[in-house]
Amino acid sequence: MPTPPENRELSPYTGWTRAHWEATADRLLLAVRPFASPERALIGLPGPRPSWSGTRSDGLEGWARTFLLAALRVAGAGGADPLGHLDRYAEGLTAGTREPGTEGPDSWPLTTGTRQAVVEAASVALGLRLTRPWLWDRLDDRTREQVADWLRPALGPSPVDNNWWLFGLTVAGFLQDAGVDTDRAAATIDRSLARIEDWYLGDGWYSDGDNRAFDHYNAWALHFYPVLHAHLAGDRALLDRYGPRLRAHLDDYVHLFDADGAPLPYGRSLIYRFAAAAAPWLGTLTGHTPLTPGATRRLASGTLRYFLDRGATDTSGLLTLGWHGPYPQLVQDYSGPGSPYWASKGFLGLLLPAGHPAWTDPEEPLPAERADTVRPFAPAGLLVQTTAADGLVRLHNHGSNHVHSAEPGGEDDPGYARHAYSTRTGPSTGTAPADNHFALLPDGGPVTARGPATPLGTGPDRAASVHRPLPGVRVVSATLAHGRAEVRAHLVLGAPEGTPVRQTGWAATPDGPHAQLHPVHGYDPGVAELPTGETLQGPGSRTLALHGTTTGPATLFVALASLTAEPGPAPVADLADVRVAGHLLSVTWQNGTTTRLDLGALGN
């Protein structure tokens, strides 16, 4: 399928238009066709391993997630379907939902026996809701009843206490529209929305459950499903409630995208890639966005191009389990070969008419391209730092966790536990030294993990937290940022005198941005270099490291760090003058402004 010509007048940053999105959707859908089962109810894609739910579930996942893409493609074209996408999926619906006792080799696993089927039920239901005039309404009565019977169990309580509650909501929204079990569906919607309310912390941020997990699930799940349901249902009361939350989230979220289109590789399920564009499209679709139409398309097209230009699809045109290309180190056990197709959510913009300003206005620059920014995300304990000279985004983490154990030294998840993440580095995984990590190296013991971090507050240029790497030991940590400069401070409380410590920097590839790390207080003067191997950005990553030793019950360690793609950058020590008096930091930035931070007060 030929690629449409670029239009640099309309899209000066990406060159892409709506025609590129339509052609990309068609290519992705045509690529999976050879892997459909004989009755087209399962799409069993090749991959290195099945998910923990098994190959039958993976086949359903491949079907459901590509069906969602087909639904967005056809609904966005007003039902036009010259490549016959929906006809193929209509056949699969009939075979996949056969009546109990008549199951065949293509039958779908039941949601009552396979938890993952609950997730896929949401994509099935949403696809049916979007294409109802062209698919559901044309099915025979028996097939409609089969499909409804398969979906109904998803109306029960969620088997997982996080964003999974919204899968039942999505199924309920479709059944309610279709006039099936409307009272029960309404009860499911109310129950699901009530549960996620417990996790809303304000300013557009939800925790994905009770464990303070803040990542892209805010955008592609916790905002996506309630707002899209309210929009499709025409429920003004719900949209008035959840729409402003989406707008508030997007006000922060837009700062997480690099000038090259990359979303921040932070959190879990990174294989969903350009699903990161779903929430910006949704804001435009519903009118709840701080972004102009041209900025929305620039963000979304930049993200889609970022991945496709860097090998997200293999030689057969299939999305792989990884970031650029395959990268198994950060793939969760619940993910199988069909999982990357949740990226289909990123095509939500196709629901906007071709004449909408999001498709016809000229592209506009992203925040990372316009000005240097240091911005706290207070409910999540995060601090974002961007620089216009190189369009690079860094995120400093002082409050997001995906650690369920409260025990000191609990196992770290590289997607959550690092002190910092960027759009062009790491994180390192496996046995490699952790990047952007402050560790104690107790005599005879392993390097400590960070474990759960408790936020201690944010400010216009800072974020702070405390963690407990060992019994009886606390580490109060803070980051101050200005331009490309970072001050990283750690106050170690309660560690035995003489305990070695190590601070690592950014895990940068040889052809990536330039990383710097400079000792200011408490560290030895030397800077070591540690190999971190391959990261999702490529092979050959290395990280700088500082070493020091505790000198009493309270020892302060301070360093300057920098990550920049500017050519020939000045030493980071030239960017800030840091003075230490006891546990008080006074920092004078290169522009002459001064800021102060008392870590001793934070630790009390």
Side-chain angles (χ1 to χ4, degrees):
M1 179 174 292
T3 299
E6 290 189 357
N7 184 336
R8 289 288 171 175
E9 181 177 352
L10 180 64
S11 302
Y13 294 91
T14 71
W16 276 31
T17 65
R18 182 185 176 95
H20 291 86
W21 283 82
E22 293 171 338
T24 300
D26 286 336
R27 276 197 296 267
L28 289 171
L29 289 167
L30 292 173
V32 303
R33 285 188 179 184
F35 302 95
S37 58
E39 295 181 295
R40 298 179 176 174
L42 302 171
I43 294 181
L45 299 172
R49 57 157 182 78
S51 74
W52 63 16
S53 298
T55 55
R56 178 62 64 91
S57 174
D58 292 348
L60 167 61
E61 186 174 61
W63 190 96
R65 298 187 181 197
T66 57
F67 172 53
L68 178 57
L69 177 57
L72 290 167
R73 174 70 175 98
V74 174
D81 188 13
L83 296 179
H85 295 311
L86 288 191
D87 287 344
R88 298 178 64 87
Y89 286 97
E91 292 181 42
L93 278 171
T94 303
T97 60
R98 283 190 180 92
E99 298 175 4
T102 63
E103 296 93 339
D106 278 25
S107 297
W108 293 346
L110 300 178
T111 58
T112 51
T114 302
R115 291 196 317 181
Q116 187 63 33
V118 175
V119 183
E120 307 320 317
S123 291
V124 173
L126 181 54
L128 290 170
R129 194 176 192 183
L130 294 171
T131 60
R132 185 179 166 191
W134 311 290
L135 180 54
W136 177 261
D137 290 348
R138 296 181 180 182
L139 295 173
D140 61 75
D141 291 344
R142 181 176 180 180
T143 299
R144 282 200 294 264
E145 187 57 34
Q146 286 179 195
V147 174
D149 284 345
W150 186 83
L151 289 171
R152 279 188 180 97
L155 297 178
S158 172
V160 181
D161 197 26
N162 61 3
N163 69 83
W164 279 44
W165 284 93
L166 299 175
F167 303 141
L169 174 143
T170 304
V171 171
F174 165 66
L175 293 178
Q176 193 174 56
D177 278 2
V180 178
D181 284 354
T182 54
D183 290 343
R184 188 180 175 202
T188 295
I189 292 169
D190 291 343
R191 182 177 62 237
S192 300
L193 294 177
R195 186 65 186 110
I196 68 164
E197 196 67 22
D198 293 339
W199 304 321
Y200 185 64
L201 301 182
D203 295 339
W205 284 91
Y206 292 88
S207 174
D208 189 13
D210 292 328
N211 58 356
R212 290 195 58 84
F214 304 99
D215 60 12
H216 291 288
Y217 273 88
N218 262 274
W220 63 41
L222 290 157
H223 286 288
F224 180 85
Y225 290 111
V227 176
L228 185 56
H229 163 70
H231 172 72
L232 295 175
D235 190 324
R236 175 52 56 184
L238 280 184
L239 196 57
D240 286 346
R241 181 176 192 179
Y242 293 103
R245 294 183 182 184
L246 171 62
R247 182 187 181 93
H249 185 69
L250 290 174
D251 208 30
D252 285 341
Y253 188 64
V254 66
H255 292 273
L256 299 179
F257 290 79
D258 195 295
D260 66 10
L264 198 79
Y266 162 69
R268 64 190 179 96
S269 300
L270 297 179
I271 59 170
Y272 301 156
R273 294 182 174 102
F274 42 84
W281 281 130
L282 181 59
T284 298
L285 181 67
T286 62
H288 291 281
T289 181
L291 304 176
T292 64
T296 298
R297 190 176 78 258
R298 188 270 179 272
L299 184 156
S301 293
T303 299
L304 182 59
R305 281 210 68 170
Y306 173 81
F307 288 109
L308 295 180
D309 290 350
R310 288 165 176 79
T313 55
D314 64 16
T315 55
S316 299
L318 302 176
L319 289 172
T320 59
L321 287 158
W323 185 248
H324 295 159
Y327 186 69
Q329 292 90 328
L330 279 185
V331 178
Q332 278 71 34
D333 289 340
Y334 55 74
S335 296
S339 298
Y341 285 86
W342 233 24
S344 299
K345 292 180 177 183
F347 285 82
L348 190 71
L350 291 178
L351 297 183
L352 295 164
H356 191 281
W359 294 115
T360 61
D361 283 4
E363 289 180 340
E364 298 180 18
L366 296 175
E369 298 169 292
R370 294 199 299 262
D372 291 358
T373 301
V374 178
R375 181 185 182 96
F377 301 166
L382 304 173
L383 185 74
V384 68
Q385 176 189 18
T386 70
T387 42
D390 52 11
L392 213 158
V393 178
R394 312 145 190 87
L395 187 73
H396 303 284
N397 174 23
H398 289 277
S400 182
N401 300 298
H402 201 253
V403 181
H404 296 279
S405 171
E407 295 299 319
E411 184 179 355
D412 277 347
D413 184 327
Y416 290 91
R418 304 291 189 254
H419 278 88
Y421 296 83
S422 91
T423 46
R424 302 190 200 177
T425 63
S428 58
T429 58
T431 59
D435 60 297
N436 292 320
H437 180 56
F438 182 81
L440 278 64
L441 290 72
D443 185 30
V447 174
T448 59
R450 187 182 187 188
T454 302
L456 295 177
T458 60
D461 63 351
R462 68 193 62 190
S465 61
V466 61
H467 67 277
R468 293 166 173 79
L470 292 170
V473 178
R474 290 184 299 144
V475 178
V476 177
S477 301
T479 304
L480 297 168
H482 182 275
R484 66 174 172 91
E486 314 157 30
V487 175
R488 301 181 177 188
H490 305 280
L491 179 61
V492 180
L493 302 168
E497 184 172 350
T499 300
V501 304
R502 183 179 72 191
Q503 168 75 69
T504 55
W506 297 99
T509 56
D511 57 351
H514 186 71
Q516 298 175 336
L517 191 62
H518 175 73
V520 172
H521 180 82
Y523 295 108
D524 302 333
V527 181
E529 187 176 62
L530 305 176
T532 54
E534 182 177 4
T535 68
L536 49 73
Q537 301 289 355
S541 293
R542 306 182 75 82
T543 182
L544 301 177
L546 302 175
H547 291 84
T549 305
T550 59
T551 57
T555 308
L556 180 62
F557 298 90
V558 184
L560 276 164
S562 166
L563 182 73
T564 181
E566 296 179 46
V572 67
D574 294 351
L575 304 182
D577 178 41
V578 183
R579 304 295 177 89
V580 179
H583 299 150
L584 176 67
L585 300 184
S586 296
V587 183
T588 301
W589 304 110
Q590 194 175 36
N591 67 353
T593 60
T594 298
T595 188
R596 293 178 175 83
L597 178 65
D598 187 348
L599 270 81
L602 288 176
N604 293 331

